[in-house]
Amino acid sequence: MQSNGRETEANFPIHVDGNESEKCEPLSIENKPGRNIDGDDCEPLHSDDYNSLQLDAKNPLSTANVLKTLFFILVWYIFSLLLTLYNKTLLGDHLGRFPAPLLMNTVHFTMQAVLSNLITWIWSSRFQPCVTMTWKDYLTKVVPTALGTALDINLSNASLVSISVTFATMCKSGSPIFLLLFAFAFRLEAPSFKLSGIILIISVGILLTVAKETEFELWGFIFVMLASVMSGFRWSMTQILLQREAYGLKNPFTLMSYVTPVMAIVTLMLSLGLDPWKEFASNGYFNSIWHVTRSSLLMLFGGALAFCMVLTEYILVSVTSAVTVTVAGVVKEAVTILVAVFYFHDKFTWLKGIGLIIIMIGVSLFNWYKYLKLQQKSSEDKVVSAQSTTVPGKYVILEEMDEDDGQR
């Protein structure tokens, strides 16, 4: 066994077809999933139940994978739609007018933090990561993700106070633009003319939905667009945390247990500074014990919806990608708009309809682009797999590898 301080190699006997003698090939065990660098066994990173949710990497386009993804998307749609209706009904200027939206989000985030940490503590043998996260990774990866998520949700809810669900939803449909920009910056996606064209198409659709908005409210528009920016940032960061072994957060429950406490603390600080705490005693939601109890139950109900929705989002990102979730989210927004038109009687003009159709065209083109990339990757994996099974051990020259190690 050889060690150069960066990678450990061990020579293991490997039988080669057509040759009864044993050949030795170097086997790298650096960052091997489920095993420490010292060679000690470690509990698997995922629980058995969660492993069953993972898509088959060898055939990502199989019928089972497609149906599994569609099921998670459907569940996500249901919880997200219920949460949107809940937020608008409770926060809207002409509806519930709940006086403390940041306090409400603090309760939601705290509930998510408690539930996720309780689950990972009870089943610690299943959810305990093999990798110990450093403070540097925590401060540079987890904390920014938590801040982006908290700002996304808080700004989205703040916009619903003054603008309609339809208008907010159409503006938020532009999140794939910012997601792609952050994906380019973090090298999760490679820039191309095709993706640039798709971004342009979606942008035109958003401009049409905003144009001639009779109930345009500047601060509401600013809040929802900033939320779109934060959405792109937080989902790119979430994909990095979920899909890279080095951080040990590939399980959605584990990731939630890390980010939600930060989200709750940050939102509580914002609530203490911005929510009208002095007016609570005279407000209909907090002016009696019964009203306080009712308000608490309302916030806990919203927290349960938020927990289920966020968990489903994390599962989708972990088994697909952040871009897939965002694209599926745009389709969800169209469903939300239709529900808002019928439920809240939001105005829906022909210009908004054209803008929405253009956005759907951009999303469809992006789906097709990702489909072709998946097909290409699946074909390449099959070729590489076929070639690797026919490579004899004699082609691995250990002396050359030792020389390369000495030059590092």
Side-chain angles (χ1 to χ4, degrees):
M1 183 174 290
Q2 302 165 348
S3 176
N4 60 1
R6 293 176 60 184
E7 182 173 350
T8 304
E9 292 178 354
N11 294 333
F12 291 85
I14 299 179
H15 293 280
V16 181
D17 293 339
N19 189 352
E20 294 181 358
S21 62
E22 292 183 342
K23 302 289 184 180
C24 289
E25 292 185 353
L27 175 65
S28 171
I29 59 174
E30 182 185 19
N31 294 333
K32 193 71 176 176
R35 187 173 292 273
N36 290 331
I37 194 67
D38 296 330
D40 298 330
D41 288 338
C42 179
E43 291 292 333
L45 186 62
H46 306 291
S47 66
D48 295 336
D49 295 336
Y50 180 68
N51 275 330
S52 66
L53 302 178
Q54 300 296 309
L55 299 184
D56 183 3
K58 295 182 179 179
N59 188 10
L61 299 177
S62 67
T63 303
N65 287 342
V66 172
L67 291 177
K68 194 178 294 183
T69 302
L70 290 176
F71 169 76
F72 288 130
I73 289 176
L74 177 62
V75 175
W76 177 41
Y77 281 11
I78 293 173
F79 285 120
S80 178
L81 183 60
L82 290 175
L83 188 61
T84 299
L85 296 178
Y86 165 88
N87 285 332
K88 180 60 179 178
T89 302
L90 205 57
L91 298 175
D93 258 342
H94 305 292
L95 296 168
R97 299 196 67 177
F98 189 77
L102 292 172
L103 174 62
M104 182 182 76
N105 287 338
T106 300
V107 173
H108 292 180
F109 297 152
T110 302
M111 189 172 179
Q112 294 175 39
V114 171
L115 289 176
S116 59
N117 279 278
L118 184 63
I119 291 172
T120 55
W121 177 72
I122 294 176
W123 290 282
S124 58
S125 60
R126 293 185 174 185
F127 296 111
Q128 184 68 32
C130 288
V131 181
T132 301
M133 177 171 288
T134 64
W135 276 106
K136 179 182 178 181
D137 286 338
Y138 182 81
L139 294 175
T140 59
K141 299 296 187 300
V142 174
V143 172
T145 303
L147 291 176
T149 304
L151 289 174
D152 177 16
I153 297 173
N154 286 320
L155 288 169
S156 296
N157 286 352
S159 69
L160 290 177
V161 174
S162 55
I163 61 178
S164 67
V165 172
T166 299
F167 184 56
T169 302
M170 287 183 171
C171 293
K172 196 71 183 289
S173 297
S175 55
I177 297 176
F178 303 105
L179 185 281
L180 284 172
L181 293 178
F182 282 112
F184 295 157
F186 298 151
R187 297 183 180 180
L188 300 176
E189 292 282 341
S192 68
F193 287 109
K194 291 181 181 179
L195 289 177
S196 299
I198 291 171
I199 289 176
L200 181 61
I201 291 173
I202 297 176
S203 300
V204 171
I206 293 173
L207 288 176
L208 289 177
T209 61
V210 175
K212 295 184 179 180
E213 169 63 29
T214 57
E215 298 179 1
F216 184 83
E217 208 280 336
L218 180 60
W219 282 111
F221 175 72
I222 292 175
F223 286 158
V224 75
M225 292 310 297
L226 287 176
S228 297
V229 175
M230 289 296 101
S231 178
F233 171 76
R234 65 122 162 177
W235 283 120
S236 294
M237 292 298 297
T238 299
Q239 181 173 345
I240 292 173
L241 290 175
L242 282 171
Q243 295 188 344
R244 292 188 182 176
E245 296 278 358
Y247 303 125
L249 300 179
K250 292 190 70 174
N251 188 285
F253 282 111
T254 307
L255 177 60
M256 287 184 70
S257 68
Y258 272 70
V259 299
T260 49
V262 179
M263 292 163 56
I265 293 172
V266 170
T267 307
L268 176 60
M269 294 172 63
L270 292 174
S271 174
L272 292 175
L274 299 176
D275 279 337
W277 287 80
K278 294 181 180 179
E279 301 175 8
F280 281 9
S282 59
N283 190 276
Y285 282 97
F286 298 100
N287 58 2
S288 68
I289 296 178
W290 160 243
H291 288 165
V292 170
T293 304
R294 184 187 64 180
S295 299
S296 300
L297 292 175
L298 279 173
M299 290 188 287
L300 290 175
F301 174 71
L305 289 177
F307 175 80
C308 294
M309 187 199 72
V310 172
L311 177 61
T312 310
E313 285 178 336
Y314 285 161
I315 291 175
L316 275 172
V317 173
S318 65
V319 300
T320 56
S321 73
V323 175
T324 301
V325 173
T326 304
V327 170
V330 173
V331 180
K332 173 182 67 66
E333 312 299 3
V335 177
T336 303
I337 290 172
L338 293 176
V339 173
V341 169
F342 289 102
Y343 186 79
F344 295 114
H345 305 290
D346 289 350
K347 294 180 180 179
F348 190 77
T349 64
W350 63 270
L351 193 60
K352 289 182 178 180
I354 294 175
L356 184 61
I357 291 173
I358 293 176
I359 292 174
M360 292 296 106
I361 291 174
V363 170
S364 300
L365 289 174
F366 185 81
N367 273 329
W368 180 250
Y369 171 81
K370 292 294 289 184
Y371 175 79
L372 293 179
K373 282 192 67 176
L374 274 175
Q375 277 193 324
Q376 181 182 2
K377 182 179 183 301
S378 181
S379 301
E380 291 174 354
D381 289 344
K382 289 180 180 178
V383 172
V384 172
S385 178
Q387 291 177 347
S388 63
T389 57
T390 60
V391 176
K394 64 182 180 181
Y395 290 119
V396 179
I397 303 175
L398 297 177
E399 289 77 12
E400 292 183 0
M401 298 189 68
D402 291 339
E403 292 176 3
D404 292 339
D405 289 341
Q407 294 174 358
R408 292 182 179 178

